[in-house]
Amino acid sequence: MIEKVYGAIELGGTKIFGIIAKDRSNILTRLILPTKLPEQSIQELTTFFKEGSHELGVDLQSLGIGCFGPLDLNAHSKTFGYVTSTTKPGWKFTDIKGVFENELQIPIFLDTDVNASALGEFSNLLDQNIESFAYLTIGTGIGGGFIINGKLVHGLVHPEFGHIQISHDKNIDPFAGNCLYHGDCFEGLASGPALEERWNIPPKHLPENHPGWDLEAEYISSALMNLLCTISPQKIILGGGVMHQAHLFRRIHKKTKRLMNSYIKSKYLDSLISELITPPTLKDDSGIIGALELAIRGLQK
Amino acid sequence: MIEKVYGAIELGGTKIFGIIAKDRSNILTRLILPTKLPEQSIQELTTFFKEGSHELGVDLQSLGIGCFGPLDLNAHSKTFGYVTSTTKPGWKFTDIKGVFENELQIPIFLDTDVNASALGEFSNLLDQNIESFAYLTIGTGIGGGFIINGKLVHGLVHPEFGHIQISHDKNIDPFAGNCLYHGDCFEGLASGPALEERWNIPPKHLPENHPGWDLEAEYISSALMNLLCTISPQKIILGGGVMHQAHLFRRIHKKTKRLMNSYIKSKYLDSLISELITPPTLKDDSGIIGALELAIRGLQK
């Protein structure tokens, strides 16, 4: 009997990851490529899946894709499954879902990169009964993926958590924010590029004792307070390049607790806050494992 | 055959509503009472349901209760089904669910008043396929109830949307906010009592052309922007006393659109924003109809 396997793609702005896997513990083959123009990247990927499954003698059931956005995920739309108004050269209004469907003739399950990462991290939790789960990425951009009542949240479009408004005291921090759309939204104040613009140094070179990190933790905590008051998550995972600074976690635990000011009574907002807000468990694999979950769960529906 | 019916209670800080109904379109009897001490109010309610169903010759299947909070809705907790740290005299740590269960010997489904109202309004929508739905009440307090992927959001505790942080420019609005826990959170800036404290006049007497209404719309829009960026609702209903000012809706539509600044592309954030953000359709019945839905849906699980 030919073995049933699944394909997964993490399509990033600079790098592309692909895998063929039986499940998350049985990855049969991997691919890493720089992101090129769409025709070329898609060609390289379809070749990988066609030749890979042929060489392995396996049967590809479905493909999950976590992709940079914005994406059109409205099934009733003409451009359903497209990357839409991206600034990435050559990729504007590129059909992703349709092209892979045509090439591979299997079901394709597409979602945003941050939703894929959220699903990857969620699927790796010990407690699968969590009703409200949040994954945030804080890096070049800021994004959020939420799993509520067992499913990723889409709604009107998809969450754009980086663009929420948070408290910004211009007397303490005169930096106007660098979001092209909203100035001092969360992303405009706290993304990697915002840190670099404010302090004139790449965040990874900003010393641990620099006051910029306390300010950063303040903004992240303010966003987490809003998240806690809105969807009341039982688990919040913070990933992305900025969060590689491990010292940020203890600052965030302290400040989030202080901001909540015991209004909501829960041991997870008090003594166990370091269990509520944690780093990713899959590290750099959240996205690709999440894309694999999209492929597997998509078929179960 | 004895007819199967359901009971519903809306337990507010000043008034209590009760109904016995076959369904939302067939309400058989109604009760309105001032809220007294717990023993007395609970006694009046159990008598209403016992005698009411006896007189009507019907069989009460279950009871849904929308109750002021904070509530303990954690099924693993010792005080599950209690009103907990309320400031309402006599009601602190009162068992609600257990008492009605003992008295009526039927399943009791308890949730917060705002969640009940959210469910009432959601159940009255024409489009039941909405994945992400929000109901906010803006009155004496501010609260939010969200239905995502078919179910009310609970999570760690329950949403406390009134306490999110929003933009507050102290140069424009020097009012420090009146939230005892967070000062200038959303509720601290925009609830009815906050309006009264800022302008020294009850909101219902504040003239429609007073600049306070534009500021109020600004704060509500800021909160709605955060909500849109977090759970991307396909429908947002704004209820509560402050929202009886119908002119607020057009201000909120305009300001929310401006705040989003076309970042998220959707006709519902542009030309159709007045269909996205609307008043309640059940008016003052959102809470009691929602409690009835709790009773009916609770049994379907």
Side-chain angles (χ1 to χ4, degrees), chain A residues 46-286:
Chain A
T46 53
T47 303
F48 166 72
F49 288 110
K50 282 180 186 169
E51 292 184 355
S53 53
H54 181 74
E55 281 162 21
L56 291 161
V58 291
D59 191 14
L60 206 62
Q61 302 297 299
S62 59
L63 173 65
I65 308 175
C67 184
F68 65 86
L71 299 178
D72 184 343
L73 299 175
N74 174 0
H76 303 295
S77 161
K78 275 187 192 170
T79 52
F80 174 48
Y82 280 55
V83 172
T84 59
S85 55
T86 177
T87 51
K88 187 160 175 63
W91 285 83
K92 196 167 278 192
F93 285 94
T94 297
D95 185 7
I96 304 290
K97 183 170 157 37
V99 168
F100 282 103
E101 244 159 21
N102 279 339
E103 285 288 333
L104 300 175
Q105 298 287 321
I106 53 173
I108 309 296
F109 302 101
L110 173 72
D111 215 320
T112 61
D113 42 9
V114 63
N115 271 352
S117 293
L119 188 58
E121 287 296 329
F122 178 77
S123 67
N124 208 39
L125 292 178
L126 291 178
D127 178 2
Q128 287 291 304
N129 292 320
I130 281 178
E131 284 172 41
S132 181
F133 169 81
Y135 170 86
L136 302 188
T137 175
I138 302 169
T140 311
I142 295 183
F146 312 117
I147 293 164
I148 301 181
N149 294 326
K151 284 166 66 181
L152 281 161
V153 177
H154 289 106
L156 188 62
V157 272
H158 41 70
E160 286 288 351
F161 191 70
H163 298 275
I164 64 162
Q165 299 197 329
I166 54 173
S167 289
H168 174 209
D169 188 333
K170 287 167 193 162
N171 297 320
I172 293 172
D173 174 24
F175 180 60
N178 73 348
C179 173
L180 293 176
Y181 288 87
H182 315 109
D184 64 350
C185 63
F186 180 27
E187 180 172 295
L189 290 171
S191 68
L195 279 168
E196 179 154 356
E197 207 177 310
R198 185 190 287 107
W199 305 115
N200 286 312
I201 186 174
K204 63 180 170 185
H205 297 312
L206 199 66
E208 196 176 318
N209 61 1
H210 190 285
W213 289 121
D214 247 9
L215 187 67
E216 178 71 4
E218 200 78 52
Y219 291 140
I220 295 170
S221 301
S222 181
L224 292 186
M225 171 157 172
N226 286 2
L227 193 62
L228 283 158
C229 289
T230 309
I231 60 167
S232 201
Q234 289 143 301
K235 186 79 182 171
I236 300 172
I237 288 183
L238 304 180
V242 170
M243 295 311 301
H244 287 165
Q245 305 281 334
H247 59 89
L248 271 176
F249 280 92
R250 60 169 192 273
R251 297 181 208 253
I252 290 167
H253 294 147
K254 207 171 123 194
K255 285 176 193 285
T256 302
K257 201 170 135 179
R258 202 171 58 213
L259 282 174
M260 294 299 295
N261 195 19
S262 303
Y263 178 71
I264 297 175
K265 309 277 186 254
S266 164
K267 60 186 178 184
Y268 289 100
L269 289 171
D270 188 30
S271 57
L272 298 183
I273 196 159
S274 62
E275 292 181 24
L276 177 70
I277 303 165
T278 63
T281 55
L282 292 168
K283 304 210 166 61
D284 295 332
D285 274 352
S286 316

Side-chain angles (χ1 to χ4, degrees), chain A residues 8-18 31-36 41 44-45 65-68 88 91 113 244 284 287-288:
Chain A
I9 298 171
E10 187 185 357
L11 217 169
T14 56
K15 269 189 225 162
I16 293 173
F17 299 85
L31 172 82
I32 306 179
L33 292 168
T35 310
K36 301 171 190 163
S41 287
E44 287 169 346
L45 283 162
I65 308 175
C67 184
F68 65 86
K88 187 160 175 63
W91 285 83
D113 42 9
H244 287 165
D284 295 332
I288 193 72

Side-chain angles (χ1 to χ4, degrees), chain B residues 138-208:
Chain B
I138 302 169
T140 311
I142 295 183
F146 312 118
I147 293 164
I148 301 181
N149 294 326
K151 284 166 66 183
L152 280 161
V153 177
H154 290 106
L156 188 62
V157 272
H158 42 69
E160 285 289 351
F161 191 69
H163 297 275
I164 65 163
Q165 299 198 328
I166 54 173
S167 290
H168 176 208
D169 188 333
K170 287 167 193 162
N171 297 321
I172 293 171
D173 174 24
F175 180 60
N178 72 347
C179 173
L180 293 176
Y181 290 87
H182 314 110
D184 64 350
C185 63
F186 179 27
E187 180 171 294
L189 290 172
S191 68
L195 279 168
E196 179 155 358
E197 208 176 310
R198 186 189 287 108
W199 305 114
N200 287 310
I201 185 174
K204 62 179 169 186
H205 299 311
L206 200 66
E208 194 177 318

